[in-house]
Amino acid sequence: VNDNPSRYTITLSGTLRSPKLNFHPPFLMLMPVPLDVETEAVITIIPCDFLRQSRIQVKLPELELADGTRTCPFSVQFPEGQDIVLSSDGTTNELICHISFRSSQPMSFFGELLFIDQEENRLLEQQTIVFLPYTHTWHCTALIKKL
């Protein structure tokens, strides 16, 4: 200052924190059901390290059927909303997510549902894996015993 060069060393340190989502349960298994019958499971989404409010969206997979047509047998609902809200103490709300499956044709699936924020960031540190055993129609045969 004023023609008096002085050297100052400033040391900065910090921690890089990336937003992520944790899921409970971490894996999801939907049970086999008859054709055209819906099966559903509920998961809790736990947002971590979010610095601002965000909105979660889900990219659902399209599956190819045996005849070559593509379909999306999944649906997702957030009954209490899909906004991540930060409280004054820095914590975030948990989100409830209903994942359902319905198909008119037999199929199975093992893969990922992508949860993204409003800026299209994939939040894949913890992903939900969905496993659907082969879905088929059960045939019931009545047995009549003659006396």
Side-chain angles (χ1 to χ4, degrees), residues 108-135:
S108 61
F109 172 76
F110 182 77
E112 300 172 352
L113 300 179
L114 297 179
F115 289 81
I116 57 174
D117 65 11
Q118 63 195 23
E119 297 168 1
E120 298 282 325
N121 294 316
R122 291 183 181 191
L123 304 167
L124 290 177
E125 286 81 357
Q126 297 284 331
Q127 53 236 14
T128 300
I129 305 296
V130 179
F131 175 66
L132 298 172
Y134 190 79
T135 305

Side-chain angles (χ1 to χ4, degrees), residues 4-125:
N4 186 5
S6 299
R7 289 194 159 182
Y8 294 96
T9 302
I10 298 175
T11 304
L12 301 175
S13 66
T15 303
L16 177 63
R17 298 171 77 179
S18 295
K20 67 179 180 177
L21 298 175
N22 291 320
F23 298 89
H24 181 75
F27 295 95
L28 181 64
M29 184 171 176
L30 298 173
M31 299 311 294
V33 292
L35 296 176
D36 268 335
V37 173
E38 186 174 88
T39 183
E40 181 182 77
V42 177
I43 61 171
T44 302
I45 301 172
I46 305 149
C48 300
D49 298 330
F50 278 79
L51 301 176
R52 61 181 173 268
Q53 185 169 326
S54 190
R55 184 174 187 85
I56 298 301
Q57 298 173 350
V58 184
K59 289 198 175 186
L60 300 173
E62 268 194 1
L63 307 178
E64 188 170 337
L65 301 175
D67 65 1
T69 59
R70 299 188 67 76
T71 185
C72 182
F74 298 100
S75 65
V76 174
Q77 293 182 343
F78 293 88
E80 299 170 9
Q82 58 201 77
D83 292 329
I84 295 173
V85 180
L86 292 162
S87 66
S88 58
D89 65 356
T91 59
T92 55
N93 59 314
E94 294 182 351
L95 303 173
I96 302 300
C97 180
H98 292 247
I99 300 173
S100 59
F101 171 88
R102 177 191 300 254
S103 177
S104 60
Q105 295 187 25
M107 68 172 57
S108 61
F109 172 76
F110 182 77
E112 300 172 352
L113 300 179
L114 297 179
F115 289 81
I116 57 174
D117 65 11
Q118 63 195 23
E119 297 168 1
E120 298 282 325
N121 294 316
R122 291 183 181 191
L123 304 167
L124 290 177
E125 286 81 357

